[in-house]
């Protein structure tokens, strides 16, 4: 497993560096994970409080399905590990990414009263797994933010059940979660959704 | 032809990397091509579903005038290859570039009811081939988006015929196409048009 | 002390380069400092009038608590050194950073009549030292700009006393100051506050 | 003179690369020059139609006071060389830079009826040579765009005479000119003015 972990960790660090450059992971915000092994679950998870522009592969932590550290070396996994684990289990995701961009923060608040952001008619939607036409309607649910992680994980689970077709969700005034079968797919989904949220935000109507 | 293909492919990969950094090719969106040979037509075309920030020259595909792969190695050419081929034929272009920027997406929708975006009076227009003064009026037609590529290619052809002076066109809620005699000219045209669309988008009037 | 100074100076230069790339230190604006020694105080301070994108570690100056140069080599410390020293003393800070971004400039003016910017309810607030929940309210005081540095330093001191919980302050139509126990913490605070100010600036309400 | 030319050309190429990355020289737009020798005048001038992100020092041209090429190798100097020469002579400038940013284009039009942009009260103004306080008022004249370069050079000369304190000017719907005693000062002036124009553009009042 060691070699696979190193490769996965290097991939997460590269994605972190790129997203940080775009301003989506400023101030040690956001977190990233990828599945290393399914049974029992082993997740490579970004540590808490680390500058994502300088995240090194060896800083990634190996955690189990209870968000407990399995790897020998120290560090504290992200507080939001429980959300990653829930997404991995409920969606069968291979990677989960969470960004804090200005536009996703602004729209998570602007559309909160509607329960989510409805995105439709854009070609970029085809970048989401399984979407074959721009005539697709993507509903990105907005969940009220909370510091009670077990409760928030439950709420995330309920939201995923209620919206089985959603490729991501927003935490209000907090950020965006998306995922994919692979890290490349999760990265693509984040880029697609960040693009669409900025596009919605810049529309004058 | 092999050496020429390698050089052209390297040029396309470099342009892809630069445009990706500017956020114009996020989420594997957009595509790029350049003519390698005219008779019979051989086009170096970006593959479908590849991260443009990591596009490698050896991933470029050689296709013929029917968008069929000629090169030995695998991969699937972009779904929009038929549009590239049509532009190459109708405009005698040597390279075709297609970007998905936030501003081109927003304006392709805002001006749809007018059938296109009219850009006039800007010095930057002189960056378009053959334009000698800022007093030029560029009409960038907007075409309704579609997933029927042969039909869309026909519509593109009709639009090019109807607007022989146009240096590009927009697909509604989808993106921008431009082209040039050379890859450098096509890159310049995209930069000019993206700049002008953002400028139009940020005007308060 | 020599080795420690070199390491600290290298850290400041790296932060300067990154912030310059984001457009927060354009035109030789802004300044950076970090404590090298507490008793007597020795501060590594950026020189006046230097391009922050090209700031070299050896250009950092060592100054004392009166903003007098202690280091052998030449250069003039930033005019705002007195503000850095005041913050270091009053807050026990280990590093002080001052940025000029478009958004912090715009908001320092827009909210001047309210005496400061009130930021609340955002998850990103948790990036500020000691903040454990998004339900935190951060009040970023706005101080009228002045070229009388001793007087401005007094005003900064009074503001810090009046707002003991503030993690930063704005100088009107001038820029943002923040600090931290370490350079990493100060960098994190600037990124968090710049993000939140841009978010406030882009909200449509 | 050869060694000095090479060094100056390398400096211009580095500035071009940086400004291109910020989107201020897209599509081969803009131009850059620096004085190599005063008597007789020899100016290192960027060639016409070159991608500023790939400008190489050896592509810089040596021209005389009539904008005629003195250097052995080919290339065509920028059409706007006469404007550079006029600024060099009238202001005693050592370097002249001309950028096409979205914000300078938008504001050159928005404020055209007022004859210029009045910028006052910002700390960033102190980055302009000779300005000691934010209470400075900078008037950036706006000149109607034209393709008649000798006539435009005359108009620039008249504008410089009329506004002896101006650190730059805008060509309407075209771009920004600024200059400095040295290339570093000219670069600083452009960064300061671009920052201030964007700030003015983003103000909601």
């Amino acid at each position: 497993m060691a070699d696979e972990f190193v490769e996965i960790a290097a991939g997460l660090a590269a994605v972190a560096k790129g997203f940080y450059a775009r301003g989506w992971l400023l101030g040690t915000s956001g977190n990233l994970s990828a599945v290393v092994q399914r049974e029992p679950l082993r997740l490579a998870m970004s540590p808490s409080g680390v500058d994502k522009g300088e995240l090194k592969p060896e800083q990634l932590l190996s955690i189990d399905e209870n968000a407990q550290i399995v790897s020998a070396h120290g560090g504290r996994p992200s507080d939001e590990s429980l959300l990653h684990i829930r997404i991995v289990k409920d969606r069968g995701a291979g990677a989960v990414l969470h960004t804090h961009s200005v536009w996703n923060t602004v729209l998570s608040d602007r559309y909160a009263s509607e329960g989510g952001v409805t995105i439709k008619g854009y070609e970029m939607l085809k970048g989401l797994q399984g979407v074959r036409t721009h005539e697709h309607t993507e509903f990105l649910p907005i969940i009220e933010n909370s510091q009670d992680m077990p409760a928030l994980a439950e709420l995330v689970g309920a939201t995923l059940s209620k919206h089985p077709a959603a490729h991501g969700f927003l935490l209000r005034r907090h950020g965006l979660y998306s995922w994919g079968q692979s890290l490349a797919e999760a990265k693509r989904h984040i880029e697609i959704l960040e693009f669409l949220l900025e596009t919605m935000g810049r529309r004058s109507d």
Side-chain angles (χ1 to χ4, degrees), chain A:
Chain A
M1 199 173 91
D3 281 358
E4 197 179 356
F5 186 89
V6 169
E7 193 181 328
I8 287 170
L12 289 168
V15 170
K17 199 183 182 74
F19 283 7
Y20 174 78
R22 292 196 192 274
W24 297 347
L25 296 171
L26 290 179
T28 78
S29 71
N31 33 68
L32 313 90
S33 72
V35 173
V36 180
Q37 180 183 291
R38 293 271 173 194
E39 293 290 342
L41 185 64
R42 291 292 178 269
L43 212 56
M45 167 65 63
S46 57
S48 180
V50 170
D51 189 321
K52 299 304 186 298
E54 297 177 6
L55 182 63
K56 286 171 188 58
E58 57 267 30
Q59 291 178 296
L60 273 288
L61 303 170
S62 181
I63 62 172
D64 66 16
E65 67 172 355
N66 299 310
Q68 299 302 305
I69 295 194
V70 177
S71 46
H73 62 288
R76 190 165 64 85
S78 168
D79 291 338
E80 296 179 38
S81 297
L82 290 177
L83 276 57
H84 287 247
I85 292 164
R86 175 53 64 113
I87 295 166
V88 163
K89 287 187 167 180
D90 290 12
R91 285 294 205 248
V96 179
L97 302 173
H98 169 44
T99 50
H100 290 206
S101 74
V102 167
W103 286 110
N104 78 37
T105 302
V106 168
L107 270 70
S108 73
D109 202 31
R110 188 181 296 172
Y111 289 89
S113 64
E114 300 177 30
V117 185
T118 301
I119 312 173
K120 60 181 174 184
Y122 290 106
E123 179 73 9
M124 279 295 253
L125 289 162
K126 284 173 61 192
L128 301 176
Q129 178 59 23
V131 176
R132 302 264 178 263
T133 168
H134 63 285
E135 288 168 346
H136 173 76
T137 296
E138 180 77 16
F139 183 74
L140 217 54
I142 298 173
I143 300 172
E144 281 296 324
N145 196 19
S146 167
Q147 301 307 325
D148 181 342
M149 284 304 133
L152 194 52
E154 286 306 304
L155 206 48
V156 164
T159 302
L160 293 176
S161 293
K162 192 175 169 191
H163 302 283
H167 292 82
F169 60 84
L170 292 162
L171 294 179
R172 187 176 181 186
R173 289 187 164 207
H174 176 154
L176 169 70
Y177 269 89
S178 191
W179 52 84
Q181 287 292 320
S182 63
L183 176 58
E185 187 176 297
K187 172 175 183 271
R188 192 180 82 220
H189 283 175
I190 288 285
E191 291 184 4
I192 292 290
L193 293 173
E194 289 288 0
F195 177 95
L196 288 166
L197 290 168
E198 181 177 341
T199 297
M200 301 279 289
R202 291 194 188 276
R203 292 194 323 189
S204 54
D205 54 288

